[in-house]
């Protein structure tokens, strides 16, 4: 199992960014997936979840601004980040849902700053 | 939302000793299926976050037997017996009973 995030970078407040998580080594379409983030020097925060049937749930802090989606044909999970704020600055991880969050990616950094 | 409290920010331990990390939930994590929806994770620099324990006490495949999860209701413990240098890491608990999913604040394990 391998999860590889990409798409991070430096972005101005109010702008948008789209993160990707490329999955391999398992049947991607059969698993729910999460995005989790970690602000610099802080703990882990759950961001969003998408089920294998594409049902979604969001943390209140990102609801209405972030959109989680998946493309099973491309074995890829996405997170669209809109109306970014400085407090969204963090490392963003994707994780597979097994009995727990059983596999994680290495993370991608998003910095929101003018 | 369910709050998870990891009281200890840091714990110091000598190699070979046993250490316990506690996680307290603001409400019971026991579901009607009889399982507790509490899991533990290890974060080491330069490595991907690793799942250690799920349903409070079940070890994830490949996790050394020195990692032991215990507890019920609202009180949970991750114990590490015979601590090894590679166990130096941040440890987080996570509840998946109710959304929003929430993590504890983390406990850093350090070597004396």
């Amino acid at each position: 199992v391998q999860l590889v995030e990409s798409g991070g970078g430096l972005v101005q407040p109010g702008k948008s960014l789209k993160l990707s998580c490329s999955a391999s080594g398992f049947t991607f379409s059969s698993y729910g997936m999460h995005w989790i983030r970690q602000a610099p020097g802080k703990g882990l925060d759950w961001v969003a979840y998408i089920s294998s049937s594409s049902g979604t749930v969001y943390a209140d802090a990102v609801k209405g601004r972030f959109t989680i989606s998946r493309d099973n044909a491309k074995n890829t999970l996405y997170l669209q980040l809109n109306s970014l704020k400085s407090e969204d600055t963090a490392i963003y991880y994707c994780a597979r849902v097994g009995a727990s969050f059983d596999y994680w990616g290495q993370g991608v950094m998003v910095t929101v700053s003018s | 939302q369910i709050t998870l409290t990891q009281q200890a920010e840091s714990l110091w331990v000598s190699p070979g000793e046993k250490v316990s990390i506690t996680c307290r939930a603001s409400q019971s994590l026991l579901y009607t299926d009889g399982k507790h929806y509490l899991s533990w994770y290890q974060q080491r620099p330069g490595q991907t976050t690793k799942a250690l324990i799920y349903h409070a006490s079940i070890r994830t495949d490949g996790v050394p037997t020195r990692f032991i999860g215990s507890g019920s209701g609202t009180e949970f413990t991750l114990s590490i017996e015979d601590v090894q240098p590679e166990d130096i890491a941040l440890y987080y608990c996570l509840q998946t009973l109710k959304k929003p999913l929430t993590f504890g604040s983390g406990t850093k394990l350090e070597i004396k």
Side-chain angles (χ1 to χ4, degrees):
Chain A
V1 173
Q2 193 171 18
L3 300 170
V4 179
E5 301 94 338
S6 61
L10 174 63
V11 62
Q12 293 178 331
K15 300 295 188 181
S16 299
L17 205 59
K18 189 170 186 176
L19 306 182
S20 299
C21 168
S22 178
S24 60
F26 65 102
T27 305
F28 178 70
S29 60
S30 297
Y31 287 83
M33 299 290 295
H34 291 277
W35 285 99
I36 305 104
R37 66 184 179 183
Q38 188 169 32
K42 301 295 185 183
L44 298 167
D45 272 328
W46 171 74
V47 173
Y49 164 74
I50 186 166
S51 70
S52 56
S53 55
S54 294
T56 59
V57 188
Y58 297 91
D60 285 347
V62 307
K63 203 175 294 182
R65 299 189 300 123
F66 290 9
T67 303
I68 188 172
S69 62
R70 63 191 302 157
D71 185 334
N72 290 336
K74 294 183 178 180
N75 289 335
T76 303
L77 173 73
Y78 301 101
L79 186 67
Q80 176 70 45
L81 292 69
N82 296 333
S83 303
L84 281 161
K85 307 175 182 180
S86 57
E87 52 263 41
D88 296 318
T89 293
I91 299 171
Y92 285 74
Y93 301 97
C94 59
R96 189 184 83 165
V97 176
S100 59
F101 289 23
D102 59 355
Y103 288 96
W104 296 58
Q106 85 288 348
V108 63
M109 186 71 204
V110 172
T111 303
V112 184
S113 175
S114 54
Chain B
Q1 70 176 39
I2 298 175
T3 301
L4 296 183
T5 301
Q6 291 181 245
Q7 207 85 39
E9 284 190 21
S10 294
L11 289 173
W12 293 83
V13 62
S14 297
E17 288 185 342
K18 175 181 175 178
V19 66
S20 294
I21 300 169
T22 60
C23 176
R24 178 178 292 121
S26 58
Q27 64 185 82
S28 175
L29 301 183
L30 177 64
Y31 188 54
T32 54
D33 61 2
K35 298 174 183 175
H36 288 87
Y37 283 76
L38 187 284
S39 48
W40 290 96
Y41 299 85
Q42 179 192 61
Q43 227 184 18
R44 293 169 64 188
Q47 302 208 1
T48 60
T49 302
K50 183 178 180 181
L52 298 175
I53 301 286
Y54 62 95
H55 292 325
S57 62
I58 302 174
R59 210 175 289 114
T60 303
D61 286 348
V63 171
T65 56
R66 63 179 183 274
F67 290 89
I68 300 165
S70 62
S72 62
T74 61
E75 300 276 341
F76 300 91
T77 301
L78 173 68
S79 298
I80 311 172
E81 296 182 342
D82 185 22
V83 168
Q84 301 296 305
E86 61 265 30
D87 299 335
I88 299 312
L90 271 162
Y91 292 87
Y92 292 91
C93 54
L94 164 69
Q95 71 81 18
T96 51
L97 181 67
K98 291 184 183 177
K99 294 186 175 61
L101 309 186
T102 47
F103 288 89
S105 54
T107 298
K108 188 174 184 180
L109 191 61
E110 302 189 86
I111 287 284
K112 281 183 188 173

